[in-house]
Amino acid sequence: MTRDVRPFVAGNWKMNGLSGSLVEIEALRRAADAGEAGVAELVVCPPATLLAQAAWKIKGGKLGLGAQDCHPEASGAFTGDISAPMLKDAGAAYVIVGHSERRTLHHETDALVRAKAEAALRAGLTAIVCVGETRAERETGEAIAVVTRQLKGSLPPGGAPETVVVAYEPVWAIGTGLTPTAIDVAEMHGAIRALLDDIYGDSGAKIRILYGGSVKPANAKELLGIDNVDGALVGGASLQATDFLAIAAAYR
Ligand code: PEP
């Protein structure tokens, strides 16, 4: 923790988890309530099918609940999609938008990501807006320009520290066991911080910037100690409560 903001540690379960996995959410809730998760705001984002059941499990406790995507419209003829008000109704308080898997596999554009983030804010959800460069973009020295462009196109107007969290996730670090150097993370997070100040003025300074991409218990302390890293978005290592809690423990 390098700044005067509450750190934020979110787990993205992606398309993993059946009702049996709710025991992991129960374990996270117990740990969060007992203060074992350190000072961080701890949030779990299971698949949409588990949201309502998970909401019952965490009710009245300190664990937060998020979804992994939302449609930009509140309702309508969009077979298979789920809207932000539906997520809110199911018990979510957060929603991830613009994850690189959706940008790549579902061809989501910055404009669509922004529309989803705006829908999240309208529904009273906090949007976790994801950005990040590919391996090729990093190797050609374009990483900061790419992430700047993504953020300018994806961030919702009127965002505030309570309603927007940014997650910097280099695409080549997701699920690969690879991570950028501490110097590269610090440079990117510094650039994102400056951009947030430009876009949102004073409140930009308090918007949390997460690092995501192969965060594990073994590297959490180093990654989360870098300047302007206000938390983590964790994929694979969030599926087991013990690993996820060991990452959050970097903030104890
Ligand atoms: C993610 O999918 O957001 C992610 C960071 O995954 P992993 O931690 O598995 O790299």
Side-chain angles (χ1 to χ4, degrees):
M1 186 174 11
T2 53
R3 304 182 315 109
D4 182 24
V5 295
R6 187 171 180 207
F8 189 99
V9 178
N12 171 17
W13 281 15
K14 313 192 187 196
M15 198 173 73
N16 296 293
L18 302 173
S19 47
S21 313
L22 291 166
V23 293
E24 301 297 328
I25 291 180
E26 287 169 335
L28 290 176
R29 186 219 159 122
R30 278 195 304 276
D33 289 357
E36 289 164 23
V39 297
E41 191 172 341
L42 198 68
V43 173
V44 62
C45 303
T49 47
L50 294 182
L51 279 176
Q53 291 178 82
W56 279 106
K57 302 280 183 198
I58 66 158
K59 204 173 164 102
K62 292 190 175 148
L63 178 65
L65 184 65
Q68 300 174 16
D69 182 45
C70 67
H71 193 278
E73 298 295 331
S75 62
F78 303 104
T79 303
D81 282 316
I82 303 179
S83 73
M86 290 171 178
L87 298 174
K88 176 88 175 169
D89 187 51
Y94 309 84
V95 62
I96 297 168
V97 293
H99 191 281
S100 66
E101 286 152 15
R102 296 208 61 88
R103 288 178 184 265
T104 306
L105 302 172
H106 296 267
H107 312 291
E108 294 195 1
T109 61
D110 291 333
L112 179 58
V113 174
R114 168 177 280 157
K116 290 181 175 200
E118 291 181 291
L121 269 53
R122 279 197 302 275
L125 299 171
T126 293
I128 303 171
V129 182
C130 300
V131 290
E133 83 284 358
T134 63
R135 163 65 80 189
E137 288 162 344
R138 166 126 326 249
E139 282 172 356
T140 51
E142 296 167 272
I144 290 184
V146 166
V147 166
T148 299
R149 192 191 65 229
Q150 289 175 332
L151 283 171
K152 283 184 172 166
S154 307
L155 284 170
E162 307 75 39
T163 57
V164 172
V165 174
V166 171
Y168 166 58
E169 300 201 299
V171 178
W172 52 273
I174 294 179
T176 59
L178 303 172
T179 52
T181 64
I183 291 171
D184 287 344
V185 173
E187 185 187 34
M188 181 62 80
H189 279 237
I192 295 173
R193 172 67 54 217
L195 185 65
L196 291 173
D197 290 348
D198 272 1
I199 295 176
Y200 293 123
D202 286 350
S203 70
K206 294 220 157 188
I207 291 182
R208 288 162 298 182
I209 309 173
L210 316 182
Y211 168 78
S214 295
V215 179
K216 310 280 177 217
N219 62 17
K221 206 149 188 123
E222 188 197 350
L223 287 165
L224 299 180
I226 298 169
D227 270 359
N228 282 305
V229 175
D230 303 316
L233 181 54
V234 184
S238 70
L239 294 171
Q240 303 291 325
T242 44
D243 287 344
F244 191 45
L245 290 167
I247 290 168
Y251 287 114
R252 267 222 203 113

